[in-house]
Amino acid sequence: MSTVPQGGPSLPQERRVVTEIPGPRSRELFARKQAAVPPGIGTTLPVFVTQAGGGVVVDADGNSLIDFGSGIAVTSVGNSAPRVVERVTRQVADFTHTCFMVTPYESYVRVCEKLNELTPGDHEKRTFLLNSGAEAVENAVKVARHATGRQAVVVFDHGYHGRTLLTMTLTAKSMPYKHGFGPFAPEVYRMPLAYPFRWPTGPENCAEEAAAQAIDQIGKQIGAQNVAAVVIEPIAGEGGFIEPAKGFLPRIAEFCRQNGIVFIADEVQTGFARTGHLFACEDEGIVPDIIVTAKGIAGGLPLSAVTGRAELLDKVHVGGLGGTYGGNPLACEAALGVIETIEAEDLTGRARH
């Protein structure tokens, strides 16, 4: 019987280097990767993982490495967390897929109920489930455009929202996400972000001046009455982990309320207990009209969600939302396991501490 440790929390939480990095087995596998996979799929560290759990990954050569990558902000409750494994294992033996739009199942509804309960605001909400963060952002914009009858979408400097055509357009960073992939989607407008460290007149003036600039430019260049949605990350991830100056986000949210614009918080990277709150927008008491979640929502299984005001989401016609794999039953069970783990282990409180 093999004595190789399995993944999950029982894996020794230690950094242990027993070969050069990458080791011979990883080099062999990387050569196969280069022959089979296009170079556009980059690799940060050319080691191939065989087990992972807690805060470490073990590679094919037996090296145990600290997992700072976390699957790009995904394995927040630890790889193969017990509640996730238990739920997914039970579900995979029952059924793996039916498509919720054909024959529904309870776990999809339970995830939606939990997100309606946990996201900011006590208003009536609706949630629907998808596969990836980009897909969720794109669907949030669809809902906003349909509900408002407007087309323009406002985004901000340093923002990252995904790799699909629309979300590439929403994203500020050219290389590697947009370079050579145009033309891009129309009716997307970019505004300055309140970046305290680099604000010309100093961080103390950043929130007020950046908000005033953005609002002035929206009025002059687009017209507030033409804007369907403002899409913003509460903390910009790909631009250098920029926390906007305090006061900026509430002012933009207020402007949206005054002008019938849907305020969409892209919490794909910041959501699910990654900031000392369950959602980053809670830090300044912001209640988005729509909040988008993915990444850490399901412990590594593909799942994303759009949660928003019932009066917005209920306007979309039957069949206007959905997707074959959106809210797959395995991913839904994983998400319920993640939520249980965050609540049972008080991960937000521990992070604040």
Side-chain angles (χ1 to χ4, degrees):
M1 182 180 291
S2 172
T3 59
V4 176
Q6 298 301 300
S10 62
L11 205 60
Q13 299 296 293
E14 61 183 12
R15 179 179 179 272
R16 184 183 67 255
V17 178
V18 296
T19 71
E20 70 272 31
I21 304 291
R25 178 65 177 146
S26 281
R27 290 199 300 271
E28 175 189 333
L29 289 166
F30 192 72
R32 288 170 55 190
K33 179 259 188 191
Q34 289 178 303
V37 181
I41 302 293
T43 303
T44 301
L45 184 64
V47 301
F48 278 72
V49 174
T50 56
Q51 292 100 25
V56 300
V57 295
V58 177
D59 73 9
D61 294 286
N63 300 293
S64 177
L65 307 172
I66 300 171
D67 184 16
F68 288 113
S70 301
I72 311 184
V74 167
T75 56
S76 303
V77 297
N79 230 306
S80 299
R83 293 177 180 87
V84 174
V85 170
E86 180 184 352
R87 282 184 166 276
V88 172
T89 301
R90 189 166 59 240
Q91 178 60 51
V92 78
D94 289 338
F95 62 95
T96 56
H97 177 72
T98 68
C99 184
F100 189 76
M101 299 182 300
V102 178
T103 48
Y105 35 90
E106 184 181 2
S107 58
Y108 185 115
V109 177
R110 289 185 64 197
V111 172
C112 294
E113 289 172 339
K114 289 298 291 184
L115 288 170
N116 292 341
E117 171 196 335
L118 294 170
T119 50
D122 56 7
H123 52 280
E124 188 177 0
K125 301 171 193 167
R126 301 283 188 267
T127 293
F128 63 100
L129 305 178
L130 301 150
N131 301 286
S132 69
E135 190 180 359
V137 171
E138 191 142 340
N139 273 270
V141 171
K142 280 170 53 177
V143 169
R145 284 175 163 165
H146 194 286
T148 63
R150 306 172 182 180
Q151 294 185 345
V153 179
V154 170
V155 289
F156 291 84
D157 288 338
H158 310 288
Y160 174 80
H161 301 286
R163 295 175 182 264
T164 60
L165 175 63
L166 178 59
T167 56
M168 269 197 304
T169 310
L170 301 178
T171 293
K173 195 172 183 180
S174 175
M175 194 66 181
Y177 303 115
K178 302 169 74 167
H179 177 70
F181 296 139
F184 299 106
E187 290 296 315
V188 173
Y189 302 86
R190 198 170 313 285
M191 299 296 153
L193 181 71
Y195 190 170
F197 182 69
R198 301 194 182 280
W199 198 253
T201 61
E204 66 278 4
N205 301 313
C206 182
E208 183 178 344
E209 291 181 1
Q213 277 190 30
I215 290 167
D216 181 64
Q217 289 183 33
I218 291 169
K220 289 177 178 175
Q221 297 178 20
I222 316 164
Q225 72 276 12
N226 298 314
V227 178
V230 163
V231 183
I232 191 166
E233 299 167 283
I235 300 172
E238 274 294 298
F241 291 100
I242 301 162
E243 184 178 351
K246 289 284 190 280
F248 174 77
L249 291 172
R251 181 68 187 92
I252 297 298
E254 178 189 2
F255 169 75
C256 289
R257 282 192 298 273
Q258 292 171 346
N259 291 277
I261 299 168
V262 179
F263 184 91
I264 300 173
D266 179 349
E267 293 244 16
V268 168
Q269 188 157 223
T270 55
F272 274 77
R274 286 184 50 82
T275 62
H277 298 278
L278 199 55
F279 302 99
C281 56
E282 294 179 88
D283 183 57
E284 292 190 85
I286 296 163
V287 178
D289 297 307
I290 294 177
I291 187 166
V292 176
T293 49
K295 286 193 182 288
I297 188 174
L301 274 73
L303 188 69
S304 64
V306 176
T307 303
R309 295 185 181 276
E311 63 267 25
L312 296 174
L313 273 69
D314 284 353
K315 287 190 176 182
V316 180
H317 51 276
V318 173
L321 304 171
T324 301
Y325 292 106
N328 172 271
L330 305 180
C332 286
E333 289 293 343
L336 294 170
V338 166
I339 293 169
E340 286 176 0
T341 301
I342 291 170
E343 293 177 337
E345 300 183 13
D346 187 26
L347 296 188
T348 53
R350 288 164 61 184
R352 285 195 299 273
H353 175 74

